[in-house]
Structures are given as C-alpha cells and as structure tokens.
Amino acid sequence: MRRLELLRVEHRDLDSAIAALVDSGGGDQMQIARLKKRKLRLRDEMSMLEDALVPDIIA
C-alpha cells in the first residue's frame, strides 16, 4: 500500500511538471517526452500493484 501511494504522488508530480513545462513554452520536447514515458511506466506499475491487491473472484 505504501509503495502504491508513493507512485501516485510521483505520478501527480510528473503531471504537474509536464504541465508547467508545456505552459512555460521553455520545455524541451525530448524532456517532455521522457517525463511522459516515465509517467506511463508509473501508471503501469500502479495498475500491477492495484491488481495484486484485489483478489480475483470467479462468480
């Protein structure tokens, strides 16, 4: 649970950083692309952790 919360915080921080770079216009496109890729990797890891926390129930 703690790891999942840390990932969520980092995901939000990356979202803010990306928005700030885009809004300022000073952001390098490669840097923005790297941040977006990192954000997607975090989202994938969060999904895996969430899936592991919820047991599969066969109805």
Side-chain angles (χ1 to χ4, degrees):
M1 280 300 262
R2 179 74 179 136
R3 174 75 178 141
L4 186 57
E5 185 58 34
L6 290 173
L7 290 173
R8 286 181 179 146
V9 168
E10 187 176 353
H11 190 266
R12 278 192 302 266
D13 290 345
L14 279 174
D15 200 29
S16 298
I18 291 167
L21 283 173
V22 170
D23 290 343
S24 72
D28 170 6
Q29 291 300 317
M30 288 295 287
Q31 182 182 15
I32 292 171
R34 281 192 294 271
L35 291 175
K36 286 182 177 182
K37 285 179 90 170
R38 173 71 179 144
K39 187 177 164 189
L40 287 173
R41 283 194 301 268
L42 287 174
R43 184 71 200 148
D44 289 344
E45 189 174 347
M46 288 186 322
S47 293
M48 287 190 314
L49 288 173
E50 288 168 350
D51 288 346
L53 290 174
V54 178
D56 291 334
I57 299 174
I58 300 172

